[in-house]
């Protein structure tokens, strides 16, 4: 049976308020919800999101 891990939710006003390395969890930046499943550097995630279409994209 699979274990379900509860993801923490962090809400911030800007990308600069996020920690440098994002741990698994849910981050809400300026009202946009982002789920992180593996540790990732904040700037790398920001670069990826800039290149994606605005609606309905899952990575």
């Amino acid at each position: 049976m699979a274990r379900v891990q509860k993801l923490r939710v962090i809400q911030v006003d800007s990308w600069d308020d996020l920690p440098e390395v994002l741990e698994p969890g849910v981050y809400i930046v300026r009202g946009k919800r982002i789920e992180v499943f593996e540790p990732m550097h904040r700037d790398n995630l920001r670069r990826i999101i800039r290149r994606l279409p605005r609606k309905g994209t899952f990575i």
Side-chain angles (χ1 to χ4, degrees):
M1 187 184 288
R3 292 179 106 177
V4 176
Q5 183 179 5
K6 198 173 193 179
L7 296 177
R8 61 186 177 149
V9 178
I10 298 174
Q11 186 168 359
V12 295
D13 293 326
S14 73
W15 284 94
D16 295 330
D17 295 338
L18 289 172
E20 263 191 61
V21 177
L22 303 175
E23 296 297 326
V26 177
Y27 297 88
I28 301 173
V29 182
R30 296 184 195 151
K32 306 279 184 184
R33 185 172 189 254
I34 303 162
E35 289 185 42
V36 176
F37 295 102
E38 294 181 13
M40 177 178 262
H41 195 275
R42 169 186 67 200
D43 294 335
N44 291 342
L45 180 62
R46 189 175 185 183
R47 233 177 270 126
I48 291 168
I49 289 178
R50 283 182 183 166
R51 294 179 183 195
L52 295 175
R54 297 285 180 221
K55 287 188 171 185
T57 302
F58 293 92
I59 51 173

